[in-house]
Amino acid sequence: MKRFVMLALLVLTLAVPLAAQKPAAQDEFVPVTGAPAGAQETIPAQRLVGIAYGFIWVVLFGYVWSVRSRLSRVEREIETVSRRVPERK
Amino acid sequence: MKKLFPLLVVVAAVMFACAPTMILNTPYESTMGLVQKIFYFHAPLGMAMFLAAFVSGIGSALLLFTGRPRWDRWAVAGAELTSIVGLLVLVTGPLWARRAWGAWWVWDPRITSTLVMWMIFNAYLLLRRYGGLGSEKLAAAVALFGMANVPFVYWSVNVWRTMHPKTSVIPTLPASMGTTFWFCVAAILLVTTVLIMLRVELEKRRQELDALYLAAED
């Protein structure tokens, strides 16, 4: 899981600048019959605001959950190892 | 501090939960309308990113100068939060820009320098994960470079020609917008502080576990 997260982080770090490159300049116009579907395209502001706030909440809750689960895993491991330490003494 | 932590968690959670209601009741901005409301979380998240970068940078500097592992906990926690909060800044910004500027992304000095700073802290985390023994000192130097980026990111909008709103936008906010904005700043900085403290605790327990493993091996 950790490896997967780190790999995803690496891919994301490398991919963002590439994905964010300016689109290549258009060198020809292709005609279509009638108005293209996207001619009136505008993204409603509500959707953008909703996505922004939803994303923030999901990421923050996900992070809290991730830290809590990592913490409880470490606690369990500490318990197991500390039982082994006095046995050896 | 441990006694104060639960109170801090409750206050941060209540403020964070109340923030959307306040934002909803704040008047629209005259030219951008509804989409400008992303600003009430986007700008405070930027401030939280700076806070986390400072925590990581100062923790790293103290680790390099004193060699004490306790500072390493703060360096790691700050770097991880810079990456998480930075991701939120870099995602919410384009959502706002798409409507306000008509483009998801422009190679603007503020946006580009924020991306570079975010990548430096991701490099820190990758170095910590795969760098092996002793990587914490090398990573600490990376975090110092990351922290050194903060003033460049902050002043980039005032120094270079840019589409991004300038820093003067915040002090000149009218009271109706300013109250909501500063409430969101307090809520998000508090949430970030709580998350950093939680992450420091995790790192502390990990260091204790490493010490236990060493004791078990002896």
Side-chain angles (χ1 to χ4, degrees):
Chain A
M1 181 64 184
K2 255 186 212 169
R3 280 189 178 180
F4 176 74
V5 171
M6 294 311 283
L7 186 70
L9 200 65
L10 179 64
V11 170
L12 203 68
T13 306
L14 296 174
V16 166
L18 293 175
Q21 290 288 335
K22 277 183 185 173
Q26 201 172 357
D27 51 15
E28 62 172 326
F29 291 125
V30 181
V32 289
T33 319
Q40 298 287 315
E41 184 204 6
T42 50
I43 301 171
Q46 285 107 314
R47 195 178 300 169
L48 293 170
V49 175
I51 292 170
Y53 283 96
F55 185 73
I56 291 165
W57 280 78
V58 166
V59 168
L60 289 182
F61 275 108
Y63 184 69
V64 169
W65 176 82
S66 144
V67 174
R68 286 295 305 167
S69 66
R70 282 185 280 172
L71 198 56
S72 54
R73 200 165 51 232
V74 170
E75 294 289 355
R76 275 198 307 273
E77 222 173 318
I78 285 176
E79 218 168 281
T80 316
V81 181
S82 55
R83 255 188 255 125
R84 249 165 51 196
V85 175
E87 279 171 19
R88 293 196 168 214
K89 280 184 181 171
Chain B
M1 198 65 191
K2 275 194 172 177
K3 282 179 187 170
L4 199 72
F5 187 70
L7 179 73
L8 211 63
V9 171
V10 171
V11 174
V14 169
M15 284 181 82
F16 195 64
C18 290
T21 318
M22 282 190 80
I23 294 165
L24 213 68
N25 293 319
T26 305
Y28 291 120
E29 198 273 333
S30 62
T31 54
M32 286 181 275
L34 177 67
V35 81
Q36 184 268 348
K37 294 202 179 212
I38 292 177
F39 160 78
Y40 296 106
F41 265 23
H42 173 75
L45 282 168
M47 291 178 180
M49 186 187 181
F50 290 165
L51 170 75
F54 275 123
V55 168
S56 183
I58 292 168
S60 297
L62 289 169
L63 172 72
L64 289 175
F65 291 124
T66 66
R68 286 185 185 168
R70 64 179 298 191
W71 298 120
D72 190 39
R73 299 170 201 158
W74 290 91
V76 173
E80 199 169 284
L81 260 299
T82 309
S83 175
I84 294 290
V85 179
L87 177 71
L88 297 177
V89 174
L90 289 168
V91 168
T92 53
L95 288 168
W96 182 9
R98 179 67 180 85
R99 185 79 179 182
W101 303 338
W104 293 107
W105 186 273
V106 285
W107 289 101
D108 174 278
R110 165 63 71 89
I111 301 165
T112 310
S113 56
T114 306
L115 177 67
V116 168
M117 189 181 146
W118 181 71
M119 289 201 290
I120 289 173
F121 281 96
N122 283 343
Y124 174 97
L125 294 174
L126 290 166
L127 194 55
R128 290 305 299 261
R129 180 72 184 87
Y130 299 109
L133 279 174
S135 66
E136 66 272 8
K137 291 204 170 168
L138 185 58
V142 174
L144 282 174
F145 277 111
M147 183 178 72
N149 259 288
V150 172
F152 289 101
V153 177
Y154 181 76
W155 278 296
S156 59
V157 281
N158 300 335
V159 175
W160 290 288
R161 191 176 290 204
T162 169
M163 289 169 81
H164 194 282
K166 289 191 187 316
T167 53
S168 59
V169 162
I170 292 167
T172 55
L173 278 174
S176 55
M177 289 176 162
T179 312
T180 305
F181 175 74
W182 289 112
F183 182 85
C184 290
V185 168
I188 286 171
L189 289 183
L190 218 55
V191 166
T192 308
T193 307
V194 164
L195 291 177
I196 289 174
M197 288 168 80
L198 200 64
R199 186 62 184 82
V200 166
E201 183 61 24
L202 170 62
E203 209 52 35
K204 186 184 166 196
R205 300 299 282 163
R206 270 187 181 162
Q207 286 177 350
E208 285 169 8
L209 179 63
D210 288 344
L212 269 174
Y213 270 123
L214 282 175
E217 277 173 18
D218 288 339

